[in-house]
Amino acid sequence: MNRPNGPDVPVLLDGVRTPFGRYLKGLRTLSSRQLGAHAVTALLDRLPQMAHCDGVILAQVVQGGLGQNPARQAAVDGGVSMSVPALTLNNVCLGGMTAMADATRRIRLGEGRSYLVGGMDSMSQAPHAGLLRNGASMASVGLVDTLSKDGLWCSLDDESMGVLSDRVNHDLGIDRDVQDEIALHSHQRARAARDSGVFGDEIVPITVDGAEVMHDEGIRDETSLESLARLRTVFDRAGTITAGNASQMTDGASVGAIVGHSVAEEWGVEPLALVRGYAEVAGPDASLHLKPAAAIEEVLHRADLSVADLSLIEVNEAFAGVVEASRRQLSVPLDVVNVNGGAIALGHPLGGTGFRLVLTAAHELRRRGGRYAVASMCGGGGQGSAVLIENVNAH
């Protein structure tokens, strides 16, 4: 592709995702590579020009044993030209947003004009691993669960992120009732979005063993406060986190096109949104709760905007306590946060979530006619990220 003479404005042109499948359920037989390739193929059906984009940047967290550069594998399988380079990112849960940020920087620097971004993960197919390099001798050999080790375990504090988050819930005074209320909202809103066809703009069905999977499998229509209250805590008997108020383990992929605005004009395609900024934060500790809010505050500061300028906010529901802590820090009502549900209902396929959050926010921003929205999330090791988008039709 021809390179621009100067900086271009990066835009989110379009995007798609697979349905998100519950752990060991409908999508369990598909690898991360297959999930990613399916989403890439669907995107190219909409935007065939992206087969010859300037680069592919895809996130994946659980990569063990999957072969060299999974992003390249999914891209080529999905129909992207062999002449297009690909990069696999592992920034834990933040990876899909980081892929977007990388693409926007390249566009602003004039290094390229069009990038395929997003991420994928099959948590159902995360392998078990063992180190035999030095020989097992006469000792027994144990296996490591890479899903836990590489995806769900804080390597800095050497403990489950659930245990860590249970402790922070207590420290911040976020009780069980508040978390269950957020979980209920997640399922109710996701169900309403599914039933009204809201997710039809982003989900591309996938056929597995002759059966078509059309919707996210984690949405529980029968969820109530009573059913949530009956669940046992999972990390600490005296804690507040349950399987009902935490994100679901999930299989899925989401991908999209980040291009320069001039490219969108050349192709005659109206962008979903302008990408106005990205921020990434870390520390001062490995906790998760306040990182999305900190990232949102940073990206708004850089754009000279305030929380009041936002029509919508997406905060990844890694745990309900993260949403509540972020909402409190930003002083916003739950009414504008995760209006179509979140990972508690939809699921959280690690590398596949970051771009999904931005895509969902972009579609909803357009439907509502608002001007600005932000998508944010926390990441293992005590990090956070946020992407600020603007409706191209807002004034």
Side-chain angles (χ1 to χ4, degrees):
M1 285 189 157
N2 295 325
R3 298 296 189 267
N5 294 323
D8 204 348
V9 177
V11 302
L12 168 57
L13 195 59
D14 203 354
V16 299
R17 67 178 178 92
T18 68
F20 283 0
R22 290 174 60 195
Y23 178 63
L24 298 177
K25 297 297 184 180
L27 304 183
R28 68 186 183 281
T29 61
L30 300 181
S31 66
S32 300
R33 174 178 182 168
Q34 290 172 307
L35 293 167
H38 179 78
V40 170
T41 297
L43 182 69
L44 296 188
D45 285 343
R46 296 186 183 185
L47 297 170
Q49 304 96 323
M50 290 299 293
H52 299 280
C53 62
D54 291 302
V56 173
I57 311 170
L58 297 178
Q60 188 173 351
V61 177
V62 187
Q63 298 180 31
L66 298 182
Q68 296 178 341
N69 199 351
R72 176 105 167 124
Q73 297 173 35
V76 171
D77 289 353
V80 174
S81 170
M82 282 284 290
S83 64
V84 176
L87 168 68
T88 303
L89 283 175
N90 186 349
N91 195 14
V92 205
C93 302
L94 311 180
M97 287 188 180
T98 306
M100 285 189 65
D102 193 343
T104 61
R105 291 187 194 105
R106 296 183 189 204
I107 290 169
R108 288 192 175 102
L109 290 171
E111 296 177 1
R113 304 181 70 199
S114 59
Y115 292 90
L116 195 157
V117 304
M120 63 235 175
D121 260 303
S122 170
M123 299 177 83
S124 293
Q125 293 207 3
H128 289 79
L131 179 61
L132 302 176
R133 286 280 181 205
N134 297 321
S137 184
M138 297 178 66
S140 61
V141 177
L143 295 178
V144 172
D145 181 355
T146 62
L147 176 56
S148 174
K149 184 71 172 179
D150 297 342
L152 307 175
W153 192 267
C154 179
S155 296
L156 298 182
D157 283 358
D158 194 24
E159 63 181 342
S160 162
M161 290 194 292
V163 172
L164 171 62
S165 296
D166 234 342
R167 190 166 60 248
V168 177
N169 279 337
H170 177 268
D171 293 343
L172 295 179
I174 300 174
D175 62 28
R176 169 78 178 267
D177 290 345
V178 169
Q179 295 172 66
D180 284 353
E181 185 75 31
I182 289 172
L184 177 64
H185 281 306
S186 185
H187 284 283
Q188 290 177 332
R189 293 171 176 180
R191 179 181 63 194
R194 178 200 63 198
D195 293 348
S196 64
V198 163
F199 292 140
D201 293 330
E202 58 191 67
I203 293 180
V204 287
I206 186 167
T207 300
V208 184
D209 298 328
E212 187 175 52
V213 181
M214 300 179 62
H215 303 293
D216 301 308
E217 294 184 326
I219 304 171
R220 297 187 177 93
D221 293 357
E222 71 285 356
T223 299
S224 66
L225 286 177
E226 291 74 22
S227 65
L228 289 166
R230 287 194 295 267
L231 297 175
R232 295 180 178 180
T233 58
V234 291
F235 299 109
D236 184 339
R237 183 174 297 179
T240 55
I241 296 177
T242 71
N245 58 36
S247 59
Q248 299 185 42
M249 296 195 297
T250 311
D251 308 324
S254 62
V255 302
I258 299 294
V259 306
H261 194 272
S262 61
V263 173
E265 292 177 334
E266 290 173 13
W267 292 354
V269 180
E270 183 178 80
L272 284 179
L274 307 176
V275 183
R276 285 305 190 190
Y278 172 80
E280 191 170 54
V281 300
D285 53 36
S287 67
L288 307 176
H289 284 59
L290 295 173
K291 304 309 187 294
I296 290 172
E297 290 171 339
E298 179 62 24
V299 77
L300 290 175
H301 173 72
R302 294 177 185 177
D304 197 25
L305 296 172
S306 71
V307 173
D309 293 309
L310 299 173
S311 299
L312 295 164
I313 299 172
E314 288 282 333
V315 178
N316 187 42
E317 294 173 350
F319 299 98
V322 173
V323 177
E324 178 63 10
S326 299
R327 184 198 68 77
R328 291 182 186 179
Q329 178 68 21
L330 297 170
S331 297
V332 295
L334 197 58
D335 292 350
V336 299
V337 180
N338 302 343
V339 297
N340 291 313
I344 289 172
L346 304 178
H348 177 23
L350 302 181
T353 294
F355 180 76
R356 197 281 300 169
L357 291 164
V358 181
L359 179 63
T360 300
H363 279 298
E364 188 62 29
L365 187 64
R366 172 177 282 191
R367 279 188 290 269
R368 296 189 175 207
R371 183 165 186 180
Y372 295 108
V374 69
S376 64
M377 60 195 316
C378 58
Q383 299 191 124
S385 65
V387 173
L388 176 67
I389 57 174
E390 181 180 1
N391 185 349
V392 295
N393 296 316
H395 299 286

